Amino acid sequence: MNAHDSGSVKVTDRRLGRRSLLKAVGATSLAASLSPVLAGTARAAEETRLDAIVIGAGYAGGTVARELGAKGLRTLVLEARDRIGGRIWTGSFAGQTVDFGGGWLGPQQELAQKEVARYGIKTFYETPGDRAMMPGETGLVGTDLSTVSSRLSGLFKELFKNSESYFEHPADPLFRKDLLAAVDPLSLEDRLRQLSVSPVDLKWLNGGSAVYAGGSSSWAGLTSMAQWYQLAGGTYEGFESTMGIKPVGGMTALLTAMLADSKAMVKLNSPVSSVTEANGKVTVQVQGGGAYTAPVAVVATPANVWKSITFNPGLPKAHTQATTQGMGVPHATKIWVLVKGKVDAVYGQAPEGSPILMLVPQQQLPEGRLFVAFGGPSLDTNDKAKVQTAVQAFLPGAEVSDYRATAWHEDKYAMGGWGMRRPNQLLQLFPQIEQPHGRIVFAGADIAKGWHGAFIEGAIESGLRAAQQAATLAG
Ligand SMILES: Cc1cc2nc3c(=O)[nH]c(=O)nc-3n(C[C@H](O)[C@H](O)[C@H](O)COP(=O)(O)OP(=O)(O)OC[C@H]3O[C@@H](n4cnc5c(N)ncnc54)[C@H](O)[C@@H]3O)c2cc1C
């Protein structure tokens, strides 16, 4: 399945028509002045009325639009897909509302929690586990959850040793820049090699680091995961709790409320092909027609996607490095699985290289139990028998009645999964990556300072920063 083929999540101009689209995003007050834009017959006079253009309707773009709207700036959001949300995508599987992209909030993520409270979004706790399957000498072995907690707690302490010093203020990662020189060049794999732990302990750790790093612990930087660990409170329990809370209505519910509040106009099916600054204005060209001009444009696409857009003048060094090396992990397959019958709520982790690296139990339904699995690069998700065998490593004898895999790295408007910094990227890219390029401003979870990459918290944080920069430039 292609992640950009939006399935059943629909906020589309094609299906709903213009009036419904405007209603869906709460844009009625701008409807009159921007109607030529929606009709696809934008005239120069209309275009110059825009104060800002936001490229991408994910959480970063949604935050920018909402903030600019609150300042009374007329904002157009151009979104490539036929839906809002980006790497957040709420849909349906086995008759349940589920998330094919990001799905959890953590209690420490203050910006997201504030937005949830602001828009009255209800939340609930994740299904508690009954027991676990964890790596043994060979294969996976049954383990009780308290052992998982206490053993991983000790192992995480070792893995992230001294991170409380080099991230003394984890929300401000460069605060102890002097200490980062020794650790920022290390990949997670480099750090794992430094540990004196048993081979089984290593398997307990490298499955967890590989799942976050997009399949291989060699891809991501130690400081990326260590920063999350410190932001979560510097404990395994805190880190684990970032997968603890879910919004009622799925992760798209909050963004829908934010965009409705923004009063911005959201134009779907509008992949941007170029962004050009000249004569104090930015012109944004949409593939297949339509060009829009404003005093400022905010690029709120994934960093990996910047290389597919033509920038004039060309991107600065840090941005070129980010999009060339990648900041979105190279493999991210989230699989919803329905396992037939009454099934224990089994949590599982498997060593790096396994077809499924992590299994997270979800609700028991009359026909079976739902699980979320994170597949590694060795799993062929087109082959049901292989998916069933991979699930059976955690649940011997399990019968998979249905599954749905979303491969974000194959999605042309993500070009990767959640974000994670690579070795050296913290010191080499920051703070330059947060700076505007003339009248072009950048936003996105991938380039957030705090909860970067794998959390909407980072998208909101960077959106707030970008909105301030854009408002200043819009004059
Ligand atoms: C499988 C998976 C699991 C995750 N789990 C969690 C989780 O549990 N909790 C959590 O908080 N976060 C999670 N994340 C991370 C979270 O989804 C992201 O951090 C966040 O959604 C990124 O928001 P963003 O606005 O920066 O980027 P995106 O959501 O990617 O938004 C960018 C937007 O730009 C659009 N775009 C791209 N190219 C163009 C173009 N040329 N023209 C116009 N528009 C364009 C895209 O279509 C998209 O809508 C997960 C991500 C994935 C993939």
Side-chain angles (χ1 to χ4, degrees), residues 55-62 78-81 83-88 100-105 109 242-243 251 270-273 287 300-302 305 308-309 332-334 374 406 408 411-414 416-419 443-446 452-459 462:
I55 304 166
Y59 265 92
L78 294 170
E79 167 54 50
R81 301 174 202 265
R83 62 172 179 84
I84 62 166
R87 283 171 281 176
I88 293 298
F100 301 121
W104 293 279
L105 301 175
Q109 293 162 359
T242 60
M243 290 171 76
M251 293 283 272
S270 302
V272 166
S273 53
Q287 232 173 65
T301 72
V305 169
S308 69
I309 299 172
T333 303
K334 182 172 177 179
F374 289 93
T406 308
W408 288 93
D411 177 328
K412 68 174 167 176
Y413 298 125
W418 52 81
D446 304 337
H452 58 282
F455 306 95
I456 64 161
E457 178 79 359
S462 85

Side-chain angles (χ1 to χ4, degrees), residues 35 72 145 152 226 245 281 289 298 313 354 366 405 418 434 443:
S35 56
L145 288 166
L152 278 179
I245 300 170
K281 297 268 181 210
V298 180
S354 305
W418 52 81
E434 296 183 302

Side-chain angles (χ1 to χ4, degrees), residues 19-85:
R19 189 176 292 272
S20 304
L21 169 70
L22 287 170
K23 202 169 158 213
V25 297
T28 43
S29 68
L30 275 183
S33 65
L34 293 173
S35 56
V37 177
L38 268 186
T41 57
R43 296 170 309 196
E46 291 292 337
E47 291 164 13
T48 51
R49 287 195 189 175
L50 292 170
D51 294 315
I53 300 168
V54 177
I55 304 166
Y59 265 92
T63 304
V64 175
R66 198 272 314 275
E67 292 296 298
L68 295 182
K71 292 180 194 295
L73 300 182
R74 288 162 299 190
T75 305
L76 169 67
V77 180
L78 294 170
E79 167 54 50
R81 301 174 202 265
D82 63 358
R83 62 172 179 84
I84 62 166

Side-chain angles (χ1 to χ4, degrees), residues 103-322:
W104 293 279
L105 301 175
Q108 318 85 340
Q109 293 162 359
E110 288 173 12
L111 299 173
Q113 296 296 344
K114 201 168 136 196
E115 297 294 349
V116 159
R118 176 171 175 170
Y119 294 105
I121 306 285
K122 296 203 170 12
T123 57
F124 59 100
Y125 288 107
E126 182 54 290
T127 307
D130 292 325
R131 57 189 175 83
M133 290 293 280
M134 297 294 289
E137 304 266 335
T138 55
L140 303 181
V141 294
T143 313
D144 63 76
L145 288 166
S146 59
T147 306
V148 173
S149 240
S150 59
R151 189 161 170 186
L152 278 179
S153 184
L155 289 171
F156 266 52
K157 248 188 210 140
E158 271 303 297
L159 180 62
F160 301 124
K161 199 170 175 176
N162 297 330
S163 58
E164 69 286 356
S165 304
Y166 59 80
F167 287 130
E168 188 178 334
H169 292 297
D172 178 8
L174 297 181
F175 184 76
R176 291 305 308 266
K177 204 172 169 184
D178 55 321
L179 299 180
L180 287 171
V183 279
D184 199 39
L186 299 180
S187 68
L188 280 160
E189 185 181 79
D190 294 333
R191 176 65 192 143
L192 288 168
R193 283 184 206 276
Q194 292 176 346
L195 302 181
S196 307
V197 296
S198 74
V200 173
D201 280 342
L202 198 58
K203 289 185 198 172
W204 275 49
L205 280 174
N206 73 13
S209 54
V211 77
Y212 278 100
S216 168
S217 306
S218 64
W219 190 87
L222 164 68
T223 63
S224 189
M225 199 164 167
Q227 190 188 358
W228 295 336
Y229 177 73
Q230 284 304 326
L231 284 163
T235 63
Y236 168 73
E237 292 70 24
F239 187 77
E240 196 195 9
S241 72
T242 60
M243 290 171 76
I245 300 170
K246 284 176 160 181
V248 171
M251 293 283 272
T252 309
L254 173 62
L255 179 62
T256 304
M258 291 169 77
L259 277 168
D261 194 16
S262 75
K263 313 279 191 301
M265 190 187 65
V266 180
K267 192 164 165 23
L268 302 177
N269 300 307
S270 302
V272 166
S273 53
S274 71
V275 181
T276 304
E277 181 185 345
N279 307 319
K281 297 268 181 210
V282 184
T283 300
V284 177
Q285 177 76 46
V286 171
Q287 232 173 65
Y292 307 99
T293 299
V296 60
V298 180
V299 180
T301 72
N304 285 16
V305 169
W306 299 341
K307 58 181 171 288
S308 69
I309 299 172
T310 304
F311 289 91
N312 290 305
L315 286 176
K317 193 170 158 229
H319 297 75
T320 304
Q321 183 181 337

